Amino acid sequence: MQRWFLSYHSPDQALAERLKVAIERKDSASRVFFAPTHMRAGGSWSAQLAQEIADATAFILLIGKEVGPWQVLEYDEALDKWAKSPFGFRLIVILLEGQTAPGLPFLRRLHWIITPDPSSERDIGRLFDAASGGGSSRSDLWRYTSPYRGLAAMEEKDSDYFFGRKRETVEVLSALAGAPDRLPLLIGNSGVGKSSLAQAGVLAALKRQAWPEEARTPNAWPAAFHDSRQWCFLSLKPGTDPLKALVESFLDTWQFAATDPERVTHHHGWMEALHGGKATLPDLIDATERRRKELDQPKPPGFFLYVDQGEELYVRAEEGQRRRFSELLAQALPDPRLYIMMSLRSDFLGHLQNDKPLFKARQHIDVPPLGEEELREIVSRPAQLLSARFETDGLVDIISRRTAEDAVKDVGALPLLSYTLDDMWTQMVRRGDGTLRLPAQSFELGGVLVDRANRFLETHPGAENALRWVLTLRLATVREDGEPSRRRAARAEFSDQEWRLVSELANYPNRLLVTVTTETGETFAEVAHEAIFRRWGKLRDWIAAEREFLAWRTGLEAARRAWQATPAGSKNDALLMGFALDQARKVCRERADDIPDSDREFIELSHKAAQRRKLRGQALVGALATVIVLGVLAYWNDQALKGLYHWFAHVRGSVLTAQAERMLKPGETFSECVKTDGDYSKYCPQMVVVPAGKFTMGSSATEKDRYDDEGPQQEVTIARPFAVSKFELTFDQWDTCVQYGGCTRLGSPFGDGKQPAINMSWDDAQEYVKWLSGLTGQSYRLLTEAEWEYAARAGSAGPYSFEGDASVLGEYAWYSENSGSRTHPVGEKRPNAFGLYDMHGNVWEWVEDCYHDRYNGAPTDGAAWTEGDCSRRVVRGGSWFGNPRYLRSAGRLRVATAYRLNYLGFRVGRTLVVP
């Protein structure tokens, strides 16, 4: 009985199913392994797949538009079996007509069937003939694949055409095997092929479980890598949010459906835990192993994490995120389950030296520019493998020598070489002669770009002005040294007609531009390679004519980005002023069409702010010559007078007298402003008196789900009663401070009113309590961490403020299992024994204390602990997307004081005058 293993990529599932049916119709005794009937889609390598391949007598690699990551693993496993028993096991390639084959190892030596319909009667006959040993490999494979990848990095599926980096591949693999607790760092110039080395070199070898062919290797395949094909391989680019990228790389292996809300819950939970120091990378590995067990899949023998374009950590990521990401990687390296590799541009070595965790853990791997010998191999070997030839014997030497010369002065030489070779290959396939040719004028590396640009103008004589506008005024910028560089322009900057031109320039045969759509759905355009600025004389002339304007616009864009990054309370100070504003308005009037909408809006905002400042100045002069009443009207916008009005209208008469304060009893409530809705006031918090007392702070070593930073436990004495706000501060109350006290206006995707105020930094909380204290003359403040836990427990010594376990948590808290992924109005759940609401969940609450990872040395009198590193403060209580573990009374997180996140808020405390 013939046993077939059918390997396909998920977009080709319908085609694969038709092929399966056709095989079984041809031979009813055949058994075809087809993943949907045996496996759960989307997971990682499974021992079941390896066994199915071991039992098969024939392996079909179905190739559609692209090869999927599972197919690479399946092919590697099948290739191992084929190498050991080539006559008893058949590997057959079915390539859809018109598609490009990948560069998988030995693929060229197999039997190929190229067809528009694999399930046709004719091709099923060819398939059975190949499985019985008939047929042969093709001699014209150059027609069906391209071994050169243009400007893109090579991947694992291209490893058969990856040359020139055997030494570095062996060096990285040896480093991983010899020092698994270090971080191999691939460091080299932009464009030298670091990503290709990592993917088509190192990762491909690990998945194939073999050294690169013809490489000089130190010994046999390392014992540490004996099961590397079954590892869980993860890769990421840090981007603006490296912790998010890290979590998503793991969650991608958890097999959640695309619309499954559970993924969102896990995502938020892990982000919160990693960011706050509650979880580590090994914890995430543990969870991934448990998830595999839930899915009835074997535990991976290892995890491999590749961080591509590590320089993004230092140019795109927020500093707190970058620091925490580096800490997580460095701390995880000793875990024997984990291997990590990273690539980094050499011009960021200085940033790396300042990144102490990664710098200390690194194992430096130099990726130098390729020499002429390696370049000759890159140029010639892929063509030889696919039975193509160069027009003359000397053409390979000329291309290799010229590339080596250019590599000394141009860091983009290698991508341009690949770009040129890819173009030569495309022309060869169109001619159908199997011969690679290069016109004499294109011997200059990058000449293909110039030829294409000139050819476009020749065939589009009326498009020169439009092309000039696109390349110069949208896709170019000028650096401080006066040299042009590429600019990424958003789709919104182009009209529909202009975007049609962009699309034409990005498509074959022009390929002067590339268009990119990000994960968030935004589409951008940019030039294919900066070499076009240096090599195309016409474009250099265009840019020279616009150099002054482009340099000015570069400065304007930098000013606008700086304004966008400025905290809301200081944004007016970051707008254009004086001469810079006058110049911007003049240029905008003259060249509005050449300035993006976002920059024009920035200029207009700056102008309006200048007008307001001018009017205030005029009002000040007028006030000096008029009566006091008119002066008050002129000064109405002054914050102090607004505050005075608020005090007269909403506070006067509500502030407790010293005698009334002394009469307060535990459990009583008060508000020092006018009430607007029963006991609730939108003008200030309602306060609850909390009694003095003693309690044990922290969690016991036996408490379920505790963290180490919750101990050691210690007895704390709260000697005097104090007041705590009944609810978390609401947007009503925060917006009162915005209107009358100058607090920063902040928004929320969940609404305002009685919703807890979110996106609050520790500094924002301090701004509010300072304003409230000044308004009332009373001592409002944040709670100390000890006061917060004492108030949260309300006499309870268990995990929560109520009797029982997390099964009744939903009666007291909004959290991951009932919140619907959002905050909820305060006071909708049950209060604790002190009458305080939402002490568990809804939003994390800032306290006064600096973060320490142990309570050793902490005050025992309830005071705030403000010694040590106070760049990170403590938040308490858990949030709307936290799980029950984080909502425990002893739970705590550390967060940088400047962070504004949609799960951060606060409640206020007040010192009381008591006898």
Side-chain angles (χ1 to χ4, degrees):
M1 179 182 71
Q2 190 77 272
R3 296 174 65 94
W4 306 81
F5 187 100
L6 177 52
S7 176
Y8 68 94
H9 190 25
S10 52
D12 301 317
Q13 179 172 328
L15 186 64
E17 190 162 10
R18 290 201 303 273
L19 177 58
K20 170 184 179 292
V21 171
I23 292 172
E24 292 172 340
R25 185 169 57 239
K26 177 78 172 178
D27 178 11
S28 60
S30 290
R31 180 186 184 276
V32 181
F33 176 80
F34 183 59
T37 60
H38 301 86
M39 304 284 294
R40 176 173 178 154
S44 298
W45 179 258
S46 166
Q48 183 184 353
L49 286 175
Q51 187 59 51
E52 291 289 345
I53 292 171
D55 294 341
T57 57
F59 179 94
I60 302 171
L61 183 67
L62 178 63
I63 303 173
K65 188 174 182 180
E66 61 179 350
V67 170
W70 268 53
Q71 286 185 282
V72 176
L73 292 167
E74 292 164 353
Y75 177 79
D76 285 340
E77 187 75 15
L79 190 63
D80 262 3
K81 180 177 179 179
W82 177 76
K84 295 170 185 174
S85 56
F87 301 108
F89 180 64
R90 305 296 180 186
L91 261 69
I92 305 160
V93 178
I94 298 181
L95 176 67
L96 288 190
E97 196 171 88
Q99 302 301 327
T100 299
L104 293 168
F106 296 98
L107 198 68
R108 63 193 181 277
R109 305 181 191 179
L110 306 179
H111 185 94
W112 287 50
I113 297 173
I114 299 158
T115 173
D117 181 12
S119 61
S120 68
E121 188 67 28
R122 172 177 171 270
D123 290 318
I124 290 297
R126 294 165 67 192
L127 180 63
F128 274 82
D129 182 48
S132 63
S136 62
S137 60
R138 298 187 64 112
S139 60
D140 60 347
L141 291 182
W142 54 266
R143 296 181 185 274
Y144 307 107
T145 186
S146 174
Y148 308 114
R149 290 295 176 257
L151 299 176
M154 301 188 85
E155 301 174 0
E156 298 98 294
K157 66 179 183 293
D158 307 312
S159 61
D160 212 24
Y161 309 132
F162 180 64
F163 293 98
R165 291 294 189 190
K166 294 186 182 71
R167 180 187 62 80
E168 289 85 356
T169 302
V170 171
E171 184 179 358
V172 176
L173 290 167
S174 300
L176 286 165
D181 58 345
R182 302 298 299 276
L183 172 67
L185 201 59
L186 315 185
I187 297 183
N189 290 337
S190 173
V192 298
K194 300 181 295 296
S195 294
S196 295
L197 167 61
Q199 297 177 95
V202 177
L203 289 175
L206 289 169
K207 292 181 180 181
R208 198 167 56 244
Q209 291 184 193
W211 296 105
E213 288 185 70
E214 303 174 17
R216 296 177 182 175
T217 58
N219 42 43
W221 183 245
F225 301 160
H226 75 280
D227 51 7
S228 57
R229 186 177 301 137
Q230 285 79 43
W231 289 357
C232 179
F233 289 92
L234 311 158
S235 64
L236 63 90
K237 293 178 182 177
T240 58
D241 199 341
L243 292 183
K244 178 181 178 182
L246 179 62
V247 171
E248 287 182 345
S249 69
F250 277 87
L251 291 187
D252 284 345
T253 72
W254 285 27
Q255 301 183 47
F256 290 118
T259 57
D260 191 340
E262 191 176 351
R263 174 170 177 136
V264 177
T265 300
H266 282 288
H267 179 270
H268 282 307
W270 279 105
M271 282 282 292
E272 183 176 339
L274 292 173
H275 198 286
K278 293 297 187 182
T280 63
L281 199 46
D283 293 329
L284 192 49
I285 292 174
D286 291 340
T288 303
E289 291 178 341
R290 291 194 296 271
R291 176 63 175 168
R292 291 288 186 83
K293 187 175 182 180
E294 289 176 5
L295 299 172
D296 197 26
Q297 294 181 357
K299 181 171 70 174
F303 290 78
F304 189 97
L305 175 64
Y306 170 47
V307 182
D308 192 12
Q309 299 183 19
E311 60 272 9
E312 291 186 350
L313 282 173
Y314 308 111
V315 293
R316 299 189 64 194
E318 184 273 329
E319 175 60 22
Q321 283 254 4
R322 183 211 54 77
R323 184 171 58 244
R324 183 60 183 148
F325 181 85
S326 298
E327 290 172 354
L328 288 167
L329 261 59
Q331 292 167 0
L333 282 167
D335 191 318
R337 299 170 296 178
L338 179 66
Y339 296 86
I340 306 177
M341 176 177 66
M342 182 168 145
S343 57
L344 183 77
R345 271 172 35 192
S346 56
D347 51 325
F348 284 86
L349 186 56
H351 292 81
L352 175 69
Q353 290 171 339
N354 293 325
D355 188 344
K356 292 182 180 179
L358 289 187
F359 186 72
K360 185 178 180 181
R362 86 200 184 289
Q363 187 161 359
H364 194 112
I365 307 289
D366 277 318
V367 186
L370 290 158
E372 190 172 338
E373 182 179 347
E374 291 85 6
L375 287 166
R376 187 176 293 107
E377 188 180 26
I378 287 173
V379 172
S380 63
R381 288 295 303 281
Q384 293 171 4
L385 293 177
L386 295 169
S387 303
R389 65 183 185 86
F390 285 84
E391 184 176 20
T392 65
D393 293 337
L395 186 53
V396 171
D397 292 334
I398 294 171
I399 294 174
S400 303
R401 183 171 61 252
R402 188 56 187 269
T403 304
E405 292 169 356
D406 274 33
V408 175
K409 57 185 179 183
D410 189 345
V411 297
L414 185 59
L416 281 175
L417 169 65
S418 184
Y419 190 77
T420 300
L421 291 170
D422 187 42
D423 188 74
M424 293 169 63
W425 196 276
T426 301
Q427 295 297 331
M428 176 189 70
V429 172
R430 288 168 67 87
R431 291 191 308 270
D433 59 4
T435 301
L436 292 158
R437 309 174 192 273
L438 188 66
Q441 66 268 27
S442 295
F443 282 156
E444 179 191 1
L445 193 61
V448 172
L449 288 169
V450 177
D451 288 344
R452 284 177 178 166
N454 287 328
R455 197 180 309 126
F456 180 83
L457 284 180
E458 290 172 3
T459 56
H460 299 74
E464 180 166 338
N465 286 337
L467 181 64
R468 179 180 185 273
W469 187 88
V470 167
L471 293 181
T472 305
L473 297 176
R474 279 294 177 262
L475 301 180
T477 187
V478 175
R479 300 192 298 259
E480 292 180 0
D481 59 4
E483 285 300 307
S485 61
R486 61 183 164 191
R487 173 180 180 269
R488 175 175 279 196
R491 168 65 180 87
E493 295 184 32
F494 301 89
S495 67
D496 290 343
Q497 182 178 355
E498 291 159 356
W499 191 255
R500 282 194 291 273
L501 174 61
V502 168
S503 300
E504 187 174 1
L505 292 169
N507 292 336
Y508 184 84
N510 302 308
R511 297 201 299 182
L512 295 170
L513 309 181
V514 293
T515 57
V516 179
T517 300
T518 67
E519 294 176 358
T520 60
E522 297 176 286
T523 300
F524 299 88
E526 60 185 351
V527 297
H529 199 281
E530 286 191 347
I532 196 170
F533 295 127
R534 299 187 294 274
R535 299 175 185 274
W536 192 24
K538 185 179 285 290
L539 181 55
R540 289 189 67 84
D541 292 341
W542 289 345
I543 290 176
E546 296 285 1
R547 192 178 305 279
E548 183 177 346
F549 172 75
L550 292 175
W552 171 82
R553 194 184 65 186
T554 300
L556 175 66
E557 290 178 344
R560 189 247 308 156
R561 287 194 296 269
W563 169 76
Q564 289 172 330
T566 300
S570 305
K571 277 191 178 295
N572 280 344
D573 297 331
L575 291 167
L576 298 175
M577 299 180 188
F579 174 76
L581 176 57
D582 292 340
Q583 183 189 39
R585 295 189 67 220
K586 180 176 181 295
V587 175
C588 194
R589 285 194 297 270
E590 296 171 352
R591 306 192 58 166
D593 290 342
D594 299 332
I595 301 173
D597 290 346
S598 56
D599 290 333
R600 292 203 304 270
E601 290 168 4
F602 174 57
I603 294 170
E604 181 61 22
L605 285 171
S606 298
H607 175 56
K608 289 181 178 179
Q611 287 182 314
R612 288 194 297 270
R613 287 193 298 271
K614 183 177 180 181
L615 288 173
R616 284 199 295 269
Q618 292 172 345
L620 177 60
V621 172
L624 294 175
T626 191
V627 297
I628 293 176
V629 174
L630 294 178
V632 169
L633 293 176
Y635 278 96
W636 176 246
N637 283 328
D638 183 87
Q639 205 65 55
L641 288 179
K642 281 188 175 183
L644 184 59
Y645 166 79
H646 175 56
W647 184 83
F648 270 105
H650 306 134
V651 177
R652 185 169 62 106
S654 299
V655 177
L656 293 179
T657 64
Q659 182 178 1
E661 191 170 326
R662 292 189 185 95
M663 298 294 292
L664 288 172
K665 303 297 182 186
E668 291 185 349
T669 63
F670 63 90
S671 296
E672 297 186 287
C673 61
V674 175
K675 296 175 182 177
T676 57
D677 183 7
D679 288 336
Y680 173 79
S681 173
K682 67 179 184 180
Y683 298 122
C684 71
Q686 183 182 18
M687 308 300 292
V688 177
V689 179
V690 172
K694 295 182 179 181
F695 79 110
T696 300
M697 185 172 180
S699 62
S700 70
T702 59
E703 183 170 306
K704 182 182 178 183
D705 291 333
R706 78 181 296 271
Y707 287 105
D708 290 342
D709 66 353
E710 298 168 13
Q713 286 184 302
Q714 61 179 7
E715 185 175 272
V716 174
T717 300
I718 306 294
R720 302 162 66 90
F722 61 102
V724 180
S725 58
K726 188 174 187 177
F727 310 109
E728 292 159 330
L729 192 83
T730 66
F731 266 113
D732 273 342
Q733 293 155 357
W734 176 260
D735 288 344
T736 296
C737 180
V738 171
Q739 183 176 1
Y740 298 112
C743 287
T744 303
R745 184 173 298 281
L746 299 171
S748 165
F750 308 133
D752 47 22
K754 290 186 178 181
Q755 293 282 350
I758 58 171
N759 294 312
M760 296 288 157
S761 69
W762 187 85
D763 298 323
D764 293 328
Q766 293 293 337
E767 183 180 18
Y768 180 84
V769 295
K770 179 181 178 181
W771 168 76
L772 189 58
S773 296
L775 184 71
T776 60
Q778 306 294 353
S779 182
Y780 282 91
R781 54 183 173 77
L782 289 183
L783 296 171
T784 70
E785 187 173 13
E787 287 175 337
W788 191 97
E789 185 171 331
Y790 175 70
R793 290 187 177 280
S796 168
Y800 304 101
S801 62
F802 48 84
E803 294 296 327
D805 56 20
S807 63
V808 294
L809 184 58
E811 298 178 24
Y812 295 85
W814 294 110
Y815 66 115
S816 61
E817 294 185 15
N818 66 356
S819 69
S821 299
R822 56 167 297 139
T823 61
H824 289 263
V826 299
E828 292 187 346
K829 294 294 184 179
R830 294 175 61 180
N832 69 7
F834 283 164
L836 304 175
Y837 291 80
D838 300 306
M839 294 299 285
H840 304 298
N842 221 2
V843 295
W844 284 98
E845 300 175 12
W846 288 105
V847 297
E848 186 71 24
D849 298 47
C850 308
Y851 177 81
H852 298 78
D853 61 7
R854 294 289 188 277
Y855 286 142
N856 301 98
T860 58
D861 61 355
W865 197 4
T866 55
E867 299 171 353
D869 178 12
C870 290
S871 62
R872 299 180 184 184
R873 301 275 177 161
V874 179
V875 292
R876 288 296 209 117
S879 74
W880 52 269
F881 68 76
N883 61 43
R885 183 178 192 180
Y886 297 109
L887 273 66
R888 294 173 302 109
S889 299
R892 56 200 299 262
L893 279 183
R894 59 178 182 181
V895 180
T897 57
Y899 279 7
R900 286 176 171 154
L901 302 170
N902 64 4
Y903 52 79
L904 290 181
F906 64 96
R907 73 175 69 224
V908 303
R910 182 184 178 300
T911 303
L912 296 176
V913 178
V914 293

